[in-house]
Amino acid sequence: MFESSSLGGSPPEAQWEAGWWRHARPVVSPNFDERPAAVAIDMVVMHYISLPERQFGTHAPLDLFCNRLNPGQHPEFEVLRGLRVSAHFFITRTGEVVQLVSCLHRAWHAGVSKWRGREKCNDFSIGIELEGSGFEPFEPAQYRSLAALCDAISAQWAVLHWVGHSDIAPERKSDPGPFFDWSRLPKIAAENDRDVQK
């Protein structure tokens, strides 16, 4: 949805209001709480999601994040019954950016996690879900929107760590998966060492 220059020149304060990005469509999730006091946001975590697996454009991910998913709608959904999860952002295959939780609040996306000796990564991170799977490439439109979003985040917060869910929970998670191309985000790729010790 965004060309690389689409937000050029916009001051950071013009892009955000109370942790909500003005270029995202708000769909408010109830699954969040307060971040611990005096904890700075310094991490962005990349995820993927598709419900059912490898089916796109179903709206089921947003239903999951908003506690509206009907477990009887598909056999894969039964294991998600009662699950309370969210992310700050969800980027569709067409590049639409949906925001579910203010970045000032703690979304429930990382679960049990650890990075460089720090646990509970939800406390200090922003979670971005890409509509996708571990079996096929993401769309160019998603990378364009993701790049614009990451530029806006890095202009607003001093992000030091751009990681995948698999980096902070390697025994449980594989996303954003082998088809996520970090080189499509040159600024992040330049700032981020993919080979650092967790």
Coordinates of all heavy atoms in Angstrom, one line a residue, residues 113-158:
S113 N 9.3 -16.1 26.1 CA 10.3 -15.6 25.1 C 11.5 -15.0 25.9 O 11.4 -14.7 27.1 CB 9.7 -14.5 24.3 OG 9.1 -13.5 25.1
K114 N 12.6 -15.0 25.2 CA 13.9 -14.5 25.8 C 14.8 -13.9 24.7 O 14.9 -14.5 23.6 CB 14.6 -15.6 26.5 CG 15.8 -15.2 27.3 CD 16.4 -16.4 28.1 CE 17.6 -16.0 28.9 NZ 18.2 -17.2 29.6
W115 N 15.4 -12.8 25.0 CA 16.4 -12.2 24.1 C 17.5 -11.6 24.9 O 17.3 -10.7 25.7 CB 15.7 -11.1 23.3 CG 16.6 -10.4 22.3 CD1 17.1 -9.1 22.5 CD2 17.2 -10.9 21.1 NE1 17.9 -8.8 21.4 CE2 18.0 -9.9 20.6 CE3 17.0 -12.1 20.4 CZ2 18.6 -10.0 19.3 CZ3 17.7 -12.2 19.2 CH2 18.5 -11.2 18.7
R116 N 18.7 -12.1 24.6 CA 19.9 -11.6 25.3 C 19.8 -11.5 26.8 O 20.1 -10.5 27.4 CB 20.3 -10.3 24.7 CG 20.7 -10.3 23.2 CD 21.2 -9.0 22.7 NE 21.6 -9.2 21.3 CZ 22.0 -8.1 20.5 NH1 22.0 -6.9 21.0 NH2 22.3 -8.3 19.2
G117 N 19.2 -12.6 27.4 CA 19.1 -12.6 28.8 C 17.8 -12.0 29.4 O 17.5 -12.1 30.5
R118 N 17.1 -11.3 28.5 CA 15.8 -10.6 29.0 C 14.7 -11.5 28.6 O 14.5 -11.9 27.4 CB 15.7 -9.2 28.4 CG 16.7 -8.2 28.9 CD 16.2 -6.8 28.5 NE 16.2 -6.6 27.0 CZ 15.7 -5.6 26.4 NH1 15.1 -4.6 27.1 NH2 15.7 -5.5 25.1
E119 N 13.8 -11.8 29.6 CA 12.6 -12.6 29.3 C 11.4 -11.7 29.2 O 11.5 -10.5 29.3 CB 12.4 -13.6 30.5 CG 13.6 -14.6 30.6 CD 13.4 -15.6 31.7 OE1 12.4 -15.4 32.6 OE2 14.1 -16.6 31.8
K120 N 10.3 -12.3 28.9 CA 9.0 -11.6 28.7 C 9.1 -10.4 27.7 O 8.9 -9.2 28.0 CB 8.5 -11.0 30.1 CG 8.3 -12.1 31.1 CD 7.9 -11.5 32.4 CE 7.6 -12.6 33.5 NZ 7.2 -12.0 34.8
C121 N 9.4 -10.8 26.4 CA 9.7 -9.8 25.4 C 8.4 -9.0 25.1 O 8.6 -7.9 24.5 CB 10.2 -10.5 24.1 SG 11.8 -11.3 24.3
N122 N 7.2 -9.4 25.4 CA 6.1 -8.5 25.2 C 6.2 -7.2 26.0 O 5.7 -6.2 25.5 CB 4.8 -9.2 25.8 CG 4.2 -10.3 24.8 OD1 4.5 -10.2 23.6 ND2 3.5 -11.2 25.4
D123 N 7.0 -7.2 27.1 CA 7.1 -6.0 27.9 C 7.7 -4.9 27.1 O 7.4 -3.7 27.4 CB 8.0 -6.3 29.1 CG 7.3 -7.2 30.1 OD1 6.1 -7.5 30.0 OD2 8.0 -7.6 31.1
F124 N 8.7 -5.2 26.2 CA 9.5 -4.1 25.6 C 9.4 -4.2 24.1 O 10.3 -3.6 23.4 CB 10.9 -4.1 26.1 CG 11.6 -5.5 26.1 CD1 12.2 -6.0 24.9 CD2 11.5 -6.3 27.2 CE1 12.8 -7.2 24.9 CE2 12.1 -7.6 27.2 CZ 12.8 -8.0 26.0
S125 N 8.4 -4.9 23.5 CA 8.4 -5.0 22.0 C 7.1 -4.6 21.4 O 6.1 -4.4 22.1 CB 8.7 -6.5 21.7 OG 7.6 -7.3 22.1
I126 N 7.2 -4.4 20.1 CA 6.0 -4.2 19.2 C 5.9 -5.4 18.3 O 6.9 -5.8 17.7 CB 6.2 -2.9 18.4 CG1 6.1 -1.7 19.3 CG2 5.2 -2.8 17.3 CD1 6.5 -0.4 18.7
G127 N 4.8 -6.0 18.3 CA 4.6 -7.2 17.5 C 3.9 -6.9 16.1 O 2.8 -6.2 16.1
I128 N 4.4 -7.4 15.0 CA 3.9 -7.2 13.7 C 3.6 -8.6 13.1 O 4.5 -9.4 12.9 CB 4.8 -6.4 12.8 CG1 5.1 -5.0 13.4 CG2 4.2 -6.3 11.4 CD1 6.2 -4.3 12.6
E129 N 2.3 -8.8 12.8 CA 1.9 -10.1 12.1 C 1.7 -9.8 10.6 O 1.0 -8.9 10.2 CB 0.6 -10.6 12.7 CG 0.6 -11.0 14.1 CD 1.0 -12.5 14.2 OE1 1.3 -13.1 13.2 OE2 1.0 -13.0 15.4
L130 N 2.4 -10.6 9.8 CA 2.2 -10.6 8.4 C 1.3 -11.8 8.0 O 1.5 -12.9 8.5 CB 3.5 -10.7 7.7 CG 4.5 -9.6 7.8 CD1 5.9 -10.0 7.5 CD2 4.1 -8.4 7.0
E131 N 0.3 -11.5 7.2 CA -0.5 -12.6 6.7 C 0.3 -13.4 5.7 O 0.7 -13.0 4.7 CB -1.7 -12.0 5.9 CG -2.7 -13.1 5.5 CD -4.0 -12.5 4.9 OE1 -3.9 -11.4 4.3 OE2 -5.1 -13.2 5.0
G132 N 0.6 -14.7 6.2 CA 1.4 -15.5 5.4 C 1.6 -16.8 6.1 O 1.0 -17.2 7.1
S133 N 2.6 -17.6 5.6 CA 2.9 -18.9 6.2 C 4.4 -19.2 5.9 O 5.1 -18.4 5.3 CB 2.1 -20.0 5.5 OG 2.6 -20.3 4.2
G134 N 4.8 -20.3 6.4 CA 6.2 -20.7 6.2 C 6.5 -21.5 4.9 O 7.5 -22.1 4.7
F135 N 5.5 -21.4 4.0 CA 5.6 -22.2 2.8 C 5.6 -21.4 1.5 O 5.7 -22.0 0.4 CB 4.4 -23.2 2.7 CG 4.3 -24.1 3.9 CD1 3.4 -23.8 5.0 CD2 5.1 -25.2 4.0 CE1 3.4 -24.6 6.1 CE2 5.0 -26.1 5.1 CZ 4.2 -25.7 6.2
E136 N 5.5 -20.1 1.5 CA 5.5 -19.3 0.3 C 5.9 -17.9 0.6 O 5.9 -17.4 1.8 CB 4.1 -19.3 -0.3 CG 3.0 -18.8 0.6 CD 1.9 -19.8 0.9 OE1 1.4 -20.4 -0.1 OE2 1.7 -20.2 2.0
P137 N 6.4 -17.2 -0.4 CA 6.9 -15.8 -0.2 C 5.8 -14.9 0.2 O 4.7 -15.1 -0.1 CB 7.5 -15.5 -1.5 CG 7.8 -16.8 -2.2 CD 6.7 -17.7 -1.8
F138 N 6.2 -13.8 0.9 CA 5.3 -12.7 1.2 C 5.2 -11.8 0.0 O 6.0 -11.9 -1.0 CB 5.8 -11.9 2.4 CG 5.8 -12.7 3.7 CD1 7.0 -13.4 4.1 CD2 4.7 -12.8 4.4 CE1 7.0 -14.2 5.2 CE2 4.7 -13.6 5.6 CZ 5.8 -14.3 6.0
E139 N 4.2 -11.0 -0.1 CA 3.9 -10.2 -1.3 C 4.7 -8.9 -1.2 O 5.0 -8.3 -0.2 CB 2.4 -9.9 -1.3 CG 1.5 -11.1 -1.5 CD 1.7 -11.7 -2.8 OE1 2.2 -11.1 -3.7 OE2 1.3 -12.9 -2.9
P140 N 5.1 -8.4 -2.4 CA 5.8 -7.1 -2.5 C 5.0 -6.0 -1.7 O 5.6 -5.1 -1.1 CB 5.9 -6.8 -4.0 CG 5.9 -8.2 -4.6 CD 5.0 -9.0 -3.8
A141 N 3.7 -6.0 -1.9 CA 2.9 -4.9 -1.2 C 3.1 -5.0 0.3 O 3.1 -4.0 1.0 CB 1.4 -5.1 -1.5
Q142 N 3.3 -6.2 0.9 CA 3.5 -6.4 2.3 C 4.8 -5.8 2.7 O 4.9 -5.1 3.7 CB 3.4 -7.8 2.7 CG 2.0 -8.4 2.6 CD 2.0 -9.9 3.0 OE1 2.5 -10.7 2.3 NE2 1.4 -10.2 4.2
Y143 N 5.8 -6.0 1.9 CA 7.2 -5.4 2.2 C 7.1 -3.9 2.2 O 7.8 -3.2 3.0 CB 8.2 -6.0 1.3 CG 8.6 -7.4 1.6 CD1 8.3 -8.4 0.7 CD2 9.3 -7.7 2.8 CE1 8.7 -9.8 1.0 CE2 9.7 -9.0 3.0 CZ 9.4 -10.0 2.2 OH 9.8 -11.3 2.4
R144 N 6.4 -3.4 1.2 CA 6.3 -1.9 1.1 C 5.7 -1.3 2.3 O 6.1 -0.3 2.9 CB 5.6 -1.5 -0.2 CG 6.4 -1.7 -1.5 CD 5.7 -1.0 -2.6 NE 4.4 -1.5 -3.0 CZ 4.2 -2.5 -3.8 NH1 5.2 -3.1 -4.4 NH2 3.0 -2.9 -4.1
S145 N 4.6 -1.9 2.7 CA 3.9 -1.4 3.9 C 4.7 -1.6 5.2 O 4.7 -0.8 6.1 CB 2.5 -2.1 4.1 OG 1.7 -1.8 3.0
L146 N 5.3 -2.8 5.3 CA 6.2 -3.1 6.4 C 7.3 -2.1 6.5 O 7.6 -1.6 7.6 CB 6.7 -4.5 6.3 CG 7.6 -5.0 7.5 CD1 6.9 -4.9 8.8 CD2 8.1 -6.4 7.2
A147 N 7.9 -1.8 5.4 CA 9.1 -0.8 5.4 C 8.6 0.6 5.9 O 9.3 1.2 6.7 CB 9.7 -0.7 4.0
A148 N 7.4 1.0 5.4 CA 6.9 2.3 5.9 C 6.6 2.3 7.4 O 6.9 3.2 8.1 CB 5.7 2.6 5.1
L149 N 6.0 1.2 7.8 CA 5.6 1.0 9.2 C 6.9 1.0 10.1 O 7.0 1.7 11.1 CB 4.8 -0.2 9.5 CG 4.5 -0.6 10.9 CD1 3.8 0.5 11.6 CD2 3.7 -1.9 10.9
C150 N 7.9 0.2 9.7 CA 9.1 0.2 10.5 C 9.9 1.5 10.5 O 10.4 1.9 11.5 CB 10.0 -0.9 9.9 SG 9.4 -2.6 10.2
D151 N 9.8 2.2 9.4 CA 10.4 3.6 9.4 C 9.7 4.5 10.4 O 10.4 5.2 11.2 CB 10.3 4.2 8.0 CG 11.3 3.6 7.0 OD1 12.3 2.9 7.5 OD2 11.2 3.9 5.8
A152 N 8.4 4.4 10.5 CA 7.6 5.2 11.4 C 7.9 4.8 12.8 O 8.0 5.7 13.7 CB 6.1 5.1 11.1
I153 N 8.0 3.5 13.1 CA 8.3 3.0 14.4 C 9.7 3.5 14.9 O 9.9 4.0 16.0 CB 8.2 1.5 14.5 CG1 6.7 1.1 14.4 CG2 8.8 1.0 15.8 CD1 6.6 -0.4 14.2
S154 N 10.7 3.3 14.0 CA 12.1 3.7 14.4 C 12.2 5.2 14.5 O 13.1 5.6 15.3 CB 13.0 3.2 13.3 OG 12.8 3.8 12.1
A155 N 11.4 6.0 13.9 CA 11.4 7.4 14.1 C 10.8 7.8 15.4 O 11.1 8.9 16.0 CB 10.7 8.1 13.0
Q156 N 9.9 7.0 16.0 CA 9.2 7.3 17.2 C 9.9 6.7 18.5 O 9.9 7.3 19.5 CB 7.8 6.8 17.1 CG 6.9 7.2 18.3 CD 6.5 8.7 18.2 OE1 7.0 9.5 17.4 NE2 5.7 9.1 19.2
W157 N 10.5 5.5 18.3 CA 11.1 4.8 19.4 C 12.5 4.3 19.0 O 12.8 4.1 17.9 CB 10.2 3.5 19.8 CG 8.9 3.9 20.4 CD1 8.6 4.3 21.7 CD2 7.6 3.9 19.7 NE1 7.3 4.6 21.8 CE2 6.7 4.3 20.7 CE3 7.2 3.6 18.4 CZ2 5.3 4.5 20.3 CZ3 5.9 3.7 18.1 CH2 4.9 4.2 19.0
A158 N 13.3 4.2 20.0 CA 14.7 3.8 19.8 C 14.8 2.3 19.7 O 15.3 1.7 20.7 CB 15.6 4.4 20.9

